[in-house]
PDB file of all heavy atoms in Angstrom:
ATOM      1  N   MET A  27      -2.659   4.309 -13.148  1.00  0.00           N
ATOM      2  CA  MET A  27      -1.955   4.800 -14.393  1.00  0.00           C
ATOM      3  C   MET A  27      -1.082   6.022 -13.941  1.00  0.00           C
ATOM      4  O   MET A  27      -1.408   6.734 -13.071  1.00  0.00           O
ATOM      5  CB  MET A  27      -2.928   5.171 -15.467  1.00  0.00           C
ATOM      6  CG  MET A  27      -3.846   6.300 -15.270  1.00  0.00           C
ATOM      7  SD  MET A  27      -4.809   6.805 -16.646  1.00  0.00           S
ATOM      8  CE  MET A  27      -5.537   8.343 -16.077  1.00  0.00           C
ATOM      9  N   ALA A  90     -34.982  26.574 -20.728  1.00  0.00           N
ATOM     10  CA  ALA A  90     -33.872  27.396 -21.052  1.00  0.00           C
ATOM     11  C   ALA A  90     -32.824  26.679 -21.739  1.00  0.00           C
ATOM     12  O   ALA A  90     -32.540  25.429 -21.527  1.00  0.00           O
ATOM     13  CB  ALA A  90     -33.264  28.154 -19.828  1.00  0.00           C
ATOM     14  N   VAL A 257       8.904  11.064 -21.034  1.00  0.00           N
ATOM     15  CA  VAL A 257       8.486  12.463 -20.988  1.00  0.00           C
ATOM     16  C   VAL A 257       7.175  12.678 -20.182  1.00  0.00           C
ATOM     17  O   VAL A 257       6.242  11.912 -20.480  1.00  0.00           O
ATOM     18  CB  VAL A 257       8.340  12.928 -22.446  1.00  0.00           C
ATOM     19  CG1 VAL A 257       8.141  14.479 -22.420  1.00  0.00           C
ATOM     20  CG2 VAL A 257       9.469  12.597 -23.226  1.00  0.00           C
ATOM     21  N   THR A 370      -1.968   8.845  -6.810  1.00  0.00           N
ATOM     22  CA  THR A 370      -2.304   9.362  -5.611  1.00  0.00           C
ATOM     23  C   THR A 370      -1.185  10.148  -4.997  1.00  0.00           C
ATOM     24  O   THR A 370      -1.445  11.015  -3.991  1.00  0.00           O
ATOM     25  CB  THR A 370      -2.741   8.303  -4.558  1.00  0.00           C
ATOM     26  OG1 THR A 370      -1.787   7.292  -4.408  1.00  0.00           O
ATOM     27  CG2 THR A 370      -4.030   7.642  -5.100  1.00  0.00           C
ATOM     28  N   ARG A 477       4.141 -12.304  -1.734  1.00  0.00           N
ATOM     29  CA  ARG A 477       4.645 -11.024  -2.330  1.00  0.00           C
ATOM     30  C   ARG A 477       4.732 -11.269  -3.883  1.00  0.00           C
ATOM     31  O   ARG A 477       4.389 -10.266  -4.615  1.00  0.00           O
ATOM     32  CB  ARG A 477       5.973 -10.722  -1.680  1.00  0.00           C
ATOM     33  CG  ARG A 477       5.844  -9.999  -0.266  1.00  0.00           C
ATOM     34  CD  ARG A 477       7.218  -9.315   0.025  1.00  0.00           C
ATOM     35  NE  ARG A 477       8.270 -10.220   0.105  1.00  0.00           N
ATOM     36  CZ  ARG A 477       8.651 -10.894   1.210  1.00  0.00           C
ATOM     37  NH1 ARG A 477       8.010 -10.593   2.316  1.00  0.00           N
ATOM     38  NH2 ARG A 477       9.627 -11.764   1.234  1.00  0.00           N
ATOM     39  N   VAL A 487      -4.306 -10.039  -1.218  1.00  0.00           N
ATOM     40  CA  VAL A 487      -4.571 -10.319   0.138  1.00  0.00           C
ATOM     41  C   VAL A 487      -5.902  -9.938   0.589  1.00  0.00           C
ATOM     42  O   VAL A 487      -6.333  -8.728   0.466  1.00  0.00           O
ATOM     43  CB  VAL A 487      -3.430  -9.771   1.046  1.00  0.00           C
ATOM     44  CG1 VAL A 487      -3.779 -10.094   2.498  1.00  0.00           C
ATOM     45  CG2 VAL A 487      -2.058 -10.367   0.728  1.00  0.00           C
ATOM     46  N   SER A 533     -28.705  -5.757  -2.979  1.00  0.00           N
ATOM     47  CA  SER A 533     -29.747  -5.121  -2.171  1.00  0.00           C
ATOM     48  C   SER A 533     -29.945  -5.963  -0.914  1.00  0.00           C
ATOM     49  O   SER A 533     -30.113  -5.286   0.208  1.00  0.00           O
ATOM     50  CB  SER A 533     -31.060  -5.009  -2.925  1.00  0.00           C
ATOM     51  OG  SER A 533     -32.077  -4.554  -2.177  1.00  0.00           O
ATOM     52  N   HIS A 562     -20.312 -20.108  -2.884  1.00  0.00           N
ATOM     53  CA  HIS A 562     -18.977 -19.883  -2.570  1.00  0.00           C
ATOM     54  C   HIS A 562     -18.274 -19.299  -3.803  1.00  0.00           C
ATOM     55  O   HIS A 562     -17.400 -18.372  -3.756  1.00  0.00           O
ATOM     56  CB  HIS A 562     -18.334 -21.201  -2.154  1.00  0.00           C
ATOM     57  CG  HIS A 562     -16.811 -21.085  -1.877  1.00  0.00           C
ATOM     58  ND1 HIS A 562     -16.305 -20.586  -0.697  1.00  0.00           N
ATOM     59  CD2 HIS A 562     -15.687 -21.307  -2.626  1.00  0.00           C
ATOM     60  CE1 HIS A 562     -15.038 -20.572  -0.695  1.00  0.00           C
ATOM     61  NE2 HIS A 562     -14.550 -20.994  -1.890  1.00  0.00           N
ATOM     62  N   SER A 652       6.557 -17.512  55.881  1.00  0.00           N
ATOM     63  CA  SER A 652       7.381 -18.718  55.808  1.00  0.00           C
ATOM     64  C   SER A 652       6.562 -19.975  55.406  1.00  0.00           C
ATOM     65  O   SER A 652       5.375 -19.882  55.510  1.00  0.00           O
ATOM     66  CB  SER A 652       8.201 -18.953  56.950  1.00  0.00           C
ATOM     67  OG  SER A 652       7.407 -19.340  58.031  1.00  0.00           O
ATOM     68  N   ILE A 733     -12.922 -19.308  32.901  1.00  0.00           N
ATOM     69  CA  ILE A 733     -13.397 -18.214  32.027  1.00  0.00           C
ATOM     70  C   ILE A 733     -12.647 -16.865  32.495  1.00  0.00           C
ATOM     71  O   ILE A 733     -12.247 -16.060  31.609  1.00  0.00           O
ATOM     72  CB  ILE A 733     -14.888 -17.990  32.104  1.00  0.00           C
ATOM     73  CG1 ILE A 733     -15.587 -19.246  31.650  1.00  0.00           C
ATOM     74  CG2 ILE A 733     -15.390 -16.829  31.434  1.00  0.00           C
ATOM     75  CD1 ILE A 733     -15.438 -19.538  30.228  1.00  0.00           C
ATOM     76  N   GLY A 746     -10.597  -2.367  20.451  1.00  0.00           N
ATOM     77  CA  GLY A 746     -11.365  -1.831  19.268  1.00  0.00           C
ATOM     78  C   GLY A 746     -10.602  -1.802  17.975  1.00  0.00           C
ATOM     79  O   GLY A 746     -11.129  -1.512  16.949  1.00  0.00           O
TER      80      GLY A 746
END
Side-chain angles (χ1 to χ4, degrees):
M27 69 175 184
V257 188
T370 56
R477 279 195 300 266
V487 175
S533 176
H562 181 79
S652 63
I733 300 297

